[in-house]
Amino acid sequence: MAMSEALPTAVQTPSKHAAIKAPARWQDFVQLLKPRVMSLVVFTGLTGLVCAGRWVHPFLAGIAILCIAVGAGASGALNMWYDADIDAKMRRTRGRPVPAGRVQSADALALGVVLSLFSVMLMGMALNWLAAGLLAFTIVFYAVVYTMWLKRWTAQNIVIGGLAGALPPVIGWAAASGSVPLNAWLLCAIIFMWTPPHFWALSLYTSEDYKKAGVPMMPLVAGPASTRKQILIYSLLFTPLCLTPVLTGLGGLAYLAVSALGGVVFLLLAFRLFRSKAGETGAQRNDDGLYDVRAGAKDARNLFAFSILYLTLLFATLLVEHLMTIKPLELL
Amino acid sequence: MSDPARESEVEAKARRGRNIALALGLALFVILVFVVTMVRLGASVTKQPF
């Protein structure tokens, strides 16, 4: 990308890795879009779109999902542009294109801005402006409110910032129906309440990384014991919330079974984590591999891994239940 | 902007790859907007009382 050459070098992120100047490949720009995060967002957005239960032309439905994916990717690029300084200090993120010196930060910024505009405008033109407005709000919330403000300022960063990750099903629902009823917000609330136990479990065994970068994650600010207690409290609120779609008619019997059984396992793991010493000195991850953990942090790792599986199962079950109600001819 | 006359083979290859990706992205965008217009226009036309 040539845009960066026109901008002052002051905006380029200094990095000790930047000296190794490899030319930017197109794959580096794909990496800026955080494809793994994008896939989760596509999945929850698709669930919202299908659960809305309104017929949408399949091509337009595909455009809605594309816009949600590109909007999420744009947020990722803006995040990598702004956070390049702290990314360079953390083991998990120092290989990203900007801190590694493969992509100039101004190029990451340009990509993020262009894709944000592209996704919002296309969503508005192809589907409706409610969905486009929600998508724009999500991008701004993630890139500005979370990345530029909350992340470096408060230990509640991922709690409040979690709203950005929770909105895709609402956007999908709005894209399909032009409205956002209670059930759409219920899906949003489930992801919102899932975020703190998920990220705090991860941060209990990666807090050294955050400490180096100066990011005020909960274990560093309130201590591991308080974090484990808060994880348990959020889990006690989150698991009953997962059952509520059954009461509103959004989820069926399969959903009831998955949410109830998974909820019990989730609570069990959260309780075991509460009783453990995860996050205490000596329980940190060793340097052999990113996801290698010492015995003391195993309970945190277990909850982190299961939280991903549980959320995936919840949304997959809802998706399948609603897809089964669609008659094949309705797709034509 | 790097001088094309001085760039190495690796740099030239990377630049070519970026240019192709950008061209494909732009072409895809044009096609998407065209098809979206056809789909939306088609839906409006079929709703017209003849």
Side-chain angles (χ1 to χ4, degrees):
Chain A
M1 298 252 165
M3 303 97 155
S4 63
E5 280 83 16
L7 292 165
T9 49
V11 295
Q12 311 295 337
T13 304
S15 163
K16 62 180 178 181
H17 305 282
I20 310 160
K21 187 85 172 99
R25 299 170 308 146
W26 64 268
Q27 292 93 331
D28 293 321
F29 289 94
V30 173
Q31 205 187 331
L32 283 177
L33 308 182
K34 300 189 179 180
R36 282 172 66 182
V37 175
M38 209 193 248
S39 61
L40 187 66
V41 164
V42 163
F43 177 54
T44 57
L46 176 68
T47 305
L49 191 136
V50 171
C51 288
R54 294 278 290 272
W55 187 87
V56 187
H57 191 287
F59 182 78
L60 295 183
I63 291 284
I65 297 303
L66 176 74
C67 289
I68 293 172
V70 173
S75 306
L78 292 171
N79 173 272
M80 287 204 203
W81 157 68
Y82 193 80
D83 275 351
D85 58 335
I86 56 177
D87 281 352
K89 293 174 188 162
M90 298 202 290
R91 229 166 63 90
R92 185 172 67 86
T93 54
R94 67 188 175 200
R96 286 177 174 175
V98 180
R102 297 195 303 277
V103 172
Q104 299 189 41
S105 65
D107 287 343
L109 171 64
L111 183 73
V113 171
V114 168
L115 291 185
S116 298
L117 294 173
F118 160 82
S119 57
V120 172
M121 295 305 289
L122 191 61
M123 180 72 99
M125 287 192 301
L127 280 305
N128 59 67
W129 291 100
L130 175 64
L134 284 165
L135 182 61
F137 174 81
T138 306
I139 295 170
V140 171
F141 194 85
Y142 184 77
V144 179
V145 179
Y146 170 70
T147 302
M148 296 183 189
W149 179 37
L150 296 170
K151 187 173 177 180
R152 299 170 192 237
W153 176 62
T154 171
Q156 297 296 327
N157 48 15
I158 56 103
V159 179
I160 309 165
L163 180 63
L167 279 170
V170 181
I171 302 170
W173 200 299
S177 67
S179 62
V180 276
L182 175 70
N183 276 335
W185 292 112
L186 209 49
L187 294 179
C188 175
I190 286 172
I191 303 177
F192 185 78
M193 294 301 289
W194 165 88
T195 307
H198 169 75
F199 273 107
W200 285 338
L202 171 71
S203 67
L204 275 173
Y205 61 95
T206 55
S207 58
E208 280 303 309
D209 247 7
Y210 290 111
K211 194 176 180 182
K212 271 188 243 164
V215 178
M217 290 302 281
M218 190 58 81
L220 297 170
V221 176
S226 170
T227 306
R228 293 195 301 267
K229 187 169 82 181
Q230 292 188 65
I231 287 174
L232 183 62
I233 293 168
Y234 269 99
S235 302
L236 287 167
L237 296 169
F238 165 66
T239 44
L241 182 69
C242 292
L243 296 170
T244 53
V246 180
L247 304 175
T248 63
L250 180 63
L253 279 176
Y255 179 84
L256 175 65
V258 169
S259 58
L261 287 173
V264 170
V265 177
F266 196 101
L267 275 179
L268 193 71
L269 292 174
F271 188 69
R272 280 174 62 176
L273 176 60
F274 173 67
R275 299 278 304 271
S276 77
K277 295 283 180 196
E280 308 286 350
T281 311
Q284 286 289 321
R285 182 191 67 215
N286 61 34
D287 275 346
D288 296 339
L290 184 59
Y291 293 106
D292 290 344
V293 290
R294 291 185 184 166
K298 207 170 180 180
D299 294 308
R301 173 81 171 107
N302 286 344
L303 181 65
F304 171 73
F306 185 74
S307 66
I308 299 171
L309 177 68
Y310 186 45
L311 191 74
T312 307
L313 283 175
L314 287 178
F315 277 75
T317 311
L318 278 179
L319 188 63
V320 171
E321 280 185 341
H322 284 264
L323 280 175
M324 284 171 72
T325 64
I326 298 174
K327 297 181 186 80
L329 280 175
E330 287 178 4
L331 290 171
L332 300 174
Chain B
M1 190 179 289
S2 63
D3 182 359
R6 289 187 182 180
E7 69 186 4
S8 68
E9 198 178 323
V10 178
E11 286 171 329
K13 193 180 170 192
R15 184 167 56 83
R16 201 162 43 244
R18 294 198 303 269
N19 289 345
I20 291 169
L22 191 59
L24 289 175
L26 285 171
L28 180 68
F29 179 64
V30 171
I31 293 166
L32 285 181
V33 171
F34 176 75
V35 180
V36 164
T37 308
M38 288 298 110
V39 169
R40 292 200 63 126
L41 204 64
S44 300
V45 168
T46 53
K47 281 178 192 164
Q48 291 283 333
F50 290 103

